[in-house]
Amino acid sequence: MSPEFAFDHFVLKVRERQLLAHGCPVALGARAFDVLCALVHRAGTLVTKSELFRQVWPGVVVEENNLQVHVSALRKLVGADRIVTIPGQGYRFVGQVAGPPEQSPEREPGAGPMPEFDGRSIAVLPFGGGTEALQRHFADGMAEDVIHRLSRSRWLGVIARNATLRYGDTLPPNAVIARELGVRYLVSGQARFHAERVRVTAELIDAPRNETIWTESYERPADDLAAAQSGIAAAIAGAVEPVHLRREECLHGASVPQQGQYWPLLMRARWHFWRSGRDHLRQAEHYAAQALQARPDDAPSLALLAFVRIARVWAGRSACVRMDASEARRLALRAVASDGTDAFAHFTLGTALSFSGQFAQAMSEQALALSLCPQLAAATGELGRLLAFSGRTGEADDCARQACEASPLDPQTSLWIRTRALARFVEGDYRGAESFALQALAQRPDWLFNHYLLAACQTAAGHGADGRRTLEQARRFGPYPAEALKACHPFADAERMAHYTDCLRRAGWKG
């Protein structure tokens, strides 16, 4: 490990076991120091919890809460945005870290300089499948299906299948494949039959860094191979896109892109978008607008700009709800007009339409988004939200559950769990609603509306004191005006809306 790293106004002296802030030593416990060293040394990449336990507590069995306590202390010290939680996996340190350069991957003699890799570029390699014809056929079909599904996403640039067919079971180094194909990311996998089950493992690799940033195993009955292939391919594609985007957001979020660099600008905008606070939303809008200048009429940039307006309303930070809702719809319509085959654009338009309670049209947009990109869990989740507000609670719960299962690492997971709470609230199952509202809040405690939903559920469940405490905690985010709350909770039934707001008023909301 390098003896010294620098980031922001901090200097981490590993050998001296010292952290300096503005040149002055900072008090830091031994375990917290070791956690910080492990994260900073791998800045920009995922460090799993198991890796941290091995490095910081070698040979000792400790509870996960111990790690969380140290991470919380480090966030207070170096900034909450510097250490990102990857749900269910571990942590990533984001920011510009200065230190000795990492060793480059081994190069072939005369290979020339390492090219600049486009962050959108991804290749799906042939899946390993053994020597038996049936297994080989299944593995080939799996790779082809994953390519087909990933290619429907406008956030990815997927290499055609015929470009990867030359790679057999014995693969060259990842860096060599990346150079030959001109991609940054690789998806590889193995398919094996065990008794009456088929088991598929897949991983997403940052090839220039030779790092596995996601891996998962799937198992299905082998009596219907077509269903097994379709289900597993959908699960892989549904996981790869959000993991890829989160990686790109973190890589570009810590540095200021140059004007005209479309992809870095768009990723920097997304990095800010998924963080809380007025300034982050302003920065997201700023960089998305610059990305749009670099690529005029770009549907992803327009859709992201629309979502900034939506987020302002949802967070209670809109100076004029009607104006932001109207602008969100206008930008989303432009995105759809620019590229009618962009599923994310249709998903955005459907979400914007929900402000005005246009349920039929909004649901049609989500259905169209899913026809264009079946693994777009965001559209499934939003369809569930619309169904919950429409009173179709069973269907709403099914959609929300499917979205969570299809894309468990998606940053929108909290919204889908929240939909399950809303469905229970509409049904009158307030204890169940409270349980799901607590889960949604645990996922995103920085989202204002999660606190309000929990307060309403607690009050309705007869836990008035808890509801008042929850709402009191929410006040640190600022007020939640009645116009914003109504726009974000478009209950089709006026009585349900009245009941929801009555619960909030009993918890202390002034409206």
Side-chain angles (χ1 to χ4, degrees):
M1 184 178 288
S2 165
E4 185 171 299
F5 295 92
F7 55 95
D8 292 340
H9 56 276
F10 294 96
V11 175
L12 182 65
K13 294 178 176 258
V14 178
R15 288 177 183 167
E16 293 87 344
R17 295 190 63 79
Q18 190 177 57
L19 178 66
L20 305 180
H22 297 294
C24 299
V26 176
L28 191 60
R31 297 294 192 189
F33 184 90
D34 291 338
V35 172
L36 182 61
C37 287
L39 294 173
V40 170
H41 182 61
R42 298 262 302 277
T45 64
L46 166 67
V47 183
T48 65
K49 294 175 185 176
S50 59
E51 289 176 300
L52 288 169
F53 284 129
R54 284 197 301 269
Q55 292 183 45
V56 180
W57 291 274
V60 180
V61 177
V62 295
E63 293 184 356
E64 186 173 320
N65 182 57
N66 289 338
L67 175 59
Q68 293 172 347
V69 167
H70 292 305
V71 169
S72 178
L74 289 171
R75 282 175 169 153
K76 291 178 182 177
L77 183 62
V78 303
D81 286 341
R82 282 284 171 262
I83 301 175
V84 177
T85 300
I86 310 302
Q89 298 188 63
Y91 302 91
R92 178 182 292 122
F93 188 93
V94 297
Q96 194 69 33
V97 176
E102 297 181 10
Q103 282 192 328
S104 300
E106 291 184 11
R107 311 296 314 286
E108 293 179 345
M114 181 69 80
E116 290 293 325
F117 292 93
D118 179 2
R120 295 181 61 216
S121 58
I122 188 168
V124 180
L125 301 176
F127 278 39
T131 56
E132 293 184 13
L134 182 61
Q135 291 193 44
R136 184 72 263 169
H137 177 75
F138 179 82
D140 288 344
M142 179 63 62
E144 186 174 355
D145 202 348
V146 171
I147 290 172
H148 172 70
R149 291 174 183 275
L150 289 177
S151 64
R152 294 190 174 196
S153 170
R154 289 296 183 272
W155 298 102
L156 299 170
V158 186
I159 296 296
R161 182 170 182 263
N162 58 8
T164 63
L165 289 176
R166 56 180 144 158
Y167 300 107
D169 292 331
T170 304
L171 296 172
N174 291 325
V176 173
I177 298 175
R179 185 178 65 249
E180 291 176 349
L181 296 178
V183 301
R184 179 172 190 115
Y185 296 98
L186 302 174
V187 176
S188 66
Q190 295 284 331
R192 293 287 186 269
F193 290 0
H194 299 279
E196 297 180 353
R197 309 283 291 178
V198 57
R199 190 169 190 268
V200 175
T201 59
E203 60 181 351
L204 178 63
I205 302 165
D206 183 334
R209 295 186 179 218
N210 199 32
E211 294 176 3
T212 297
I213 57 176
W214 168 83
T215 184
E216 189 58 83
S217 297
Y218 305 91
E219 200 168 297
R220 298 285 192 280
D223 56 349
D224 188 343
L225 289 180
Q229 177 182 308
S230 178
I232 295 174
I236 292 171
V240 164
E241 185 189 73
V243 171
H244 159 265
L245 285 172
R246 183 67 62 87
R247 173 73 160 199
E248 284 294 298
E249 290 161 14
C250 289
L251 288 176
H252 295 292
S255 58
V256 179
Q258 295 179 9
Q259 194 153 0
Q261 292 183 322
Y262 163 75
W263 184 252
L265 287 165
L266 190 58
M267 290 300 100
R268 180 68 185 265
R270 284 180 58 95
W271 185 85
H272 282 290
F273 178 80
W274 289 115
R275 280 148 185 81
S276 298
R278 293 180 186 275
D279 187 59
H280 278 301
L281 280 178
R282 282 194 293 266
Q283 292 292 327
E285 185 173 32
H286 168 73
Y287 287 111
Q290 285 198 355
L292 187 61
Q293 286 181 353
R295 188 173 292 182
D297 295 321
D298 175 60
S301 300
L302 288 164
L304 184 55
L305 283 168
F307 255 109
V308 169
R309 299 292 181 134
I310 292 171
R312 281 181 184 161
V313 178
W314 279 353
R317 295 192 172 99
S318 174
C320 178
V321 170
R322 191 171 302 174
M323 183 179 296
D324 276 328
S326 176
E327 182 65 5
R329 179 175 177 176
R330 185 187 71 82
L331 288 164
L333 284 168
R334 275 190 63 191
V336 169
S338 175
D339 186 353
T341 63
D342 189 327
F344 188 80
H346 286 284
F347 155 67
T348 305
L349 178 56
T351 307
L353 289 169
S354 72
F355 281 139
S356 53
Q358 295 175 269
F359 292 112
Q361 190 176 349
M363 289 182 192
S364 294
E365 290 294 335
Q366 303 307 336
L368 179 53
L370 288 168
S371 71
L372 293 168
C373 188
Q375 73 270 9
L376 183 58
T380 304
E382 175 60 13
L383 184 58
R385 189 180 76 97
L386 295 168
L387 288 165
F389 284 123
S390 300
R392 295 160 62 180
T393 55
E395 297 170 84
D397 192 74
D398 286 343
C399 284
R401 180 176 45 78
Q402 289 169 22
C404 290
E405 292 174 355
S407 190
L409 302 180
D410 198 290
Q412 300 178 80
T413 305
S414 174
L415 294 175
W416 308 332
I417 298 173
R418 184 174 183 271
T419 289
R420 303 193 73 180
L422 282 165
R424 298 301 192 283
F425 185 91
V426 170
E427 288 177 343
D429 175 12
Y430 302 122
R431 295 289 180 90
E434 181 182 358
S435 176
F436 280 117
L438 282 165
Q439 293 178 41
L441 183 62
Q443 286 268 352
R444 288 304 300 253
D446 54 331
W447 283 354
L448 172 76
F449 46 79
N450 278 343
H451 292 268
Y452 275 74
L453 175 62
L454 177 59
C457 294
Q458 288 171 326
T459 303
H463 304 150
D466 291 338
R468 288 188 290 274
R469 279 193 293 270
T470 298
L471 208 62
E472 184 62 36
Q473 292 171 359
R475 289 197 176 97
R476 71 182 186 272
F477 296 101
Y480 204 17
E483 188 181 10
L485 185 135
K486 183 178 180 181
C488 298
H489 299 78
F491 289 97
D493 188 324
E495 290 186 6
R496 289 196 181 106
M497 183 65 192
H499 178 46
Y500 186 77
T501 54
D502 178 63
C503 289
L504 289 174
R505 288 194 174 93
R506 283 190 280 147
W509 178 61
K510 304 301 182 185

